[in-house]
Amino acid sequence: MATLSNDKLEDWEIAKYWEIFSGLDPQNGKLSGDRAASVLKNSKLDDRQLEKIWDLADVDNDGNLDFEEFCVAMRIIFDVINGRYKKVPDVLPDWLIPSSKAHLVAANSAVKTGSLAIENVEEDDFDDSQKGLSNDFDWYMSPRDRANYEAVYTANSDRHGQITFESLTELYGTLNVPELDINSAWNLINPQSSRTIGKDQTLAFLHILNNRDKGVRIPRNIPASLRATFEKNTEIDYDLSSTPFPDKAKSTVDRTTSSGKKSAFAESYLERLGISGGGQKYSPSGTDFSATKDTDWEEVRLRRQLAELESQLEKADAAAKRRKDDARTKAENTKIGLVRTQLEQLYDYKRRQLRKLRSGDIDNDPAVNLTAMKQEIEVLKQQVDLFEDYCNRKQSDLNQLYAEIEREK
């Protein structure tokens, strides 16, 4: 099983979630609680945790999970099982927020904190070029639109992956967007007023122009999460919309309205680039995950439990060996101490006898036999030599035991 990245959804991971999602037979591109329950409950998390995960993932609060939201739920579950989170997080991490729903997360956060200000825009507040435009701007990018935006980005970015305002001049000429609005859109997604912008800023810029070309007014602000990313000019690795949704993979452009006369964003421009007909689509391999018996939950759990058991066994073996070595060392030390005491007492006694002999006091002691005393002195010398040899050997053994204990640590 591949390793999960800390702050990124990998392509293989998204593909895996798509297979599971499509195997659960989503209706209109969404899974109800009943359809998703079989997979989510296989995680063995309790109902309270799963309920909290569902609430986090259901960004649009419609009671169902679309594919992006399903990916969010699955990843949080895996992170909880793997121990990355001690508990289910209270809010979605920024890197896990789908870019198409960032505005919803920002709005929900604003509502909860009481900081949401509602701006009423009157038609008379706009000049003639803005009148008659719709205010229904949606940050969601359909897979087809996103593929077109990425094609434009790839064709015009420099070797550092950056886009300049002038590099898209040819594109501007194919759109029915006033120059003032183009400049407004550029300034909106470029809060740092940099000369160049990165990929995600470019995609947002093209999305704004596409909507303006279809008769939707340029938004006055961007979601807080996107603004933070754009201010850093970093690239978002979260690319869920590269996988098609069953209900959104088809074009939803209304060709009968004035805003839907163009079938695709900058179609003529894309044709000149040789990229007409939309981008590549992900095709599931067809694996049946409807039974959910082969879901990776159990494998993840067993791997973690096995690692914990192996660690506990290693610690138990090391502790048992230390206790055994400590007991053996203590017994050896006790034995050596007794022998040392006995020999030291004998040595002291013999020394006293030797002093008496040398001082002449031994002659006044009728109980002392000179010949026997000499024999005892010889025996004493032999015992002293044996004692010293024994002590040296035991000290060597003791040093060796200390060395083994240090190695075990």
Side-chain angles (χ1 to χ4, degrees), residues 203-221:
L203 300 188
F205 177 57
L206 297 176
H207 186 58
I208 294 172
L209 295 184
N210 184 21
N211 279 270
R212 178 59 181 86
D213 190 47
K214 294 178 179 178
V216 180
R217 186 173 286 111
I218 302 291
R220 293 195 170 188
N221 49 56

Side-chain angles (χ1 to χ4, degrees), residues 2-5 7-23 66-72 74-75 78 95-96 98 146 150 236-245 282-285 289 296:
T3 303
L4 296 177
S5 172
D7 295 314
K8 179 181 179 181
L9 280 174
E10 303 287 353
D11 291 341
W12 67 264
E13 188 181 355
I14 296 172
K16 183 74 171 180
Y17 296 157
W18 171 253
E19 290 180 344
I20 300 174
F21 180 82
S22 60
D66 60 22
F67 178 61
E68 289 181 323
E69 295 170 333
F70 181 74
C71 287
V72 172
M74 293 288 282
R75 181 53 189 267
F78 270 116
W95 65 270
L96 197 53
R146 186 182 182 90
E150 290 182 339
I236 301 173
D237 292 317
Y238 192 76
D239 188 14
L240 287 178
S241 57
S242 60
T243 305
F245 299 87
Y282 170 75
S283 298
S285 60
F289 280 83
D296 291 328

